[in-house]
Amino acid sequence: MASEIELIYKTKVKASERPHITSSKATYKLALKSWNPDKIEFLEQFKILLLNKANRVLGIYEMSTGGITATTVDLRLLFTAALKAKATALIMLHNHPSGKVFPSTADKLITRKVKEAGTILDIEVVDLLIITPEGYYSLADNGNM
């Protein structure tokens, strides 16, 4: 006997009421609302913003919580969430407790890996936003996507 596998995505938000992402600034404002203010300057976290074809937000998935200087991103879990939500695009969100918004070598590496996997699955990786309470850095805005 084999185990049954069930893929479920449940939403409580009407399609017309979902936030519409039009810029990195809009993404940043939404990201800040989803972050625990007690953790943003304490622990690194990595989340993904899942989007439909109209750039409406399907949901935000918290991928991982790490330590002061790092967190882990498992591509299999990232794309499981994207596939379950039937996302056609995603934006990666990541905080730097240090307050520095510039991407690290590890940030650039994971961005490249996620983009490559997204290409195979036909899920567009739109951006990686590095956020702090005082500002953000968008890889897309800075020509690094």
Side-chain angles (χ1 to χ4, degrees), residues 1 7 34 47 50 55 66-68 72 80 82 84 86 98-99 105 116 126-127 130 135 139:
M1 179 181 237
L7 300 177
S34 80
K47 301 179 183 189
L50 301 164
N55 280 346
I68 296 169
T72 303
T80 296
K84 275 186 176 183
K86 297 183 284 183
S98 67
T105 302
E116 288 172 5
V126 177
D127 203 352
I130 298 167
L139 267 70

Side-chain angles (χ1 to χ4, degrees), residues 44-61:
E44 278 205 20
Q45 292 183 298
F46 191 97
K47 301 179 183 189
I48 55 172
L49 187 69
L50 301 164
L51 304 170
N52 68 11
K53 197 70 174 161
N55 280 346
R56 295 272 181 186
V57 177
L58 297 169
I60 298 174
Y61 178 66

Side-chain angles (χ1 to χ4, degrees), residues 12 15 26 39 51-52 64 74-75 89:
K12 296 176 183 164
K39 291 184 180 180
L51 304 170
N52 68 11
S64 64
D74 187 322
L75 291 180

Side-chain angles (χ1 to χ4, degrees), residues 33-122:
K33 289 179 187 175
S34 80
W35 234 272
N36 180 337
D38 296 331
K39 291 184 180 180
I40 196 166
E41 293 182 288
F42 184 62
L43 297 168
E44 278 205 20
Q45 292 183 298
F46 191 97
K47 301 179 183 189
I48 55 172
L49 187 69
L50 301 164
L51 304 170
N52 68 11
K53 197 70 174 161
N55 280 346
R56 295 272 181 186
V57 177
L58 297 169
I60 298 174
Y61 178 66
E62 186 175 314
M63 289 287 312
S64 64
T65 297
I68 296 169
T69 59
T71 192
T72 303
V73 177
D74 187 322
L75 291 180
R76 294 163 293 196
L77 293 175
L78 187 150
F79 283 104
T80 296
L83 291 167
K84 275 186 176 183
K86 297 183 284 183
T88 58
L90 63 87
I91 297 172
M92 299 176 289
L93 309 169
H94 170 55
N95 69 309
H96 279 178
S98 67
K100 295 179 181 178
V101 293
F102 296 105
S104 66
T105 302
D107 294 333
K108 292 174 185 175
L109 178 63
I110 195 62
T111 299
R112 187 172 59 232
K113 285 177 71 173
V114 174
K115 275 190 65 96
E116 288 172 5
T119 298
I120 293 167
L121 294 170
D122 202 21

Side-chain angles (χ1 to χ4, degrees), residues 19-33:
H20 185 229
I21 297 300
T22 56
S23 66
S24 61
K25 186 174 184 176
T27 304
Y28 173 65
K29 287 180 179 181
L30 187 61
L32 276 184
K33 289 179 187 175

Side-chain angles (χ1 to χ4, degrees), residues 11-19 57:
T11 183
K12 296 176 183 164
V13 181
K14 293 179 185 176
S16 62
E17 296 173 357
R18 293 178 184 151
V57 177

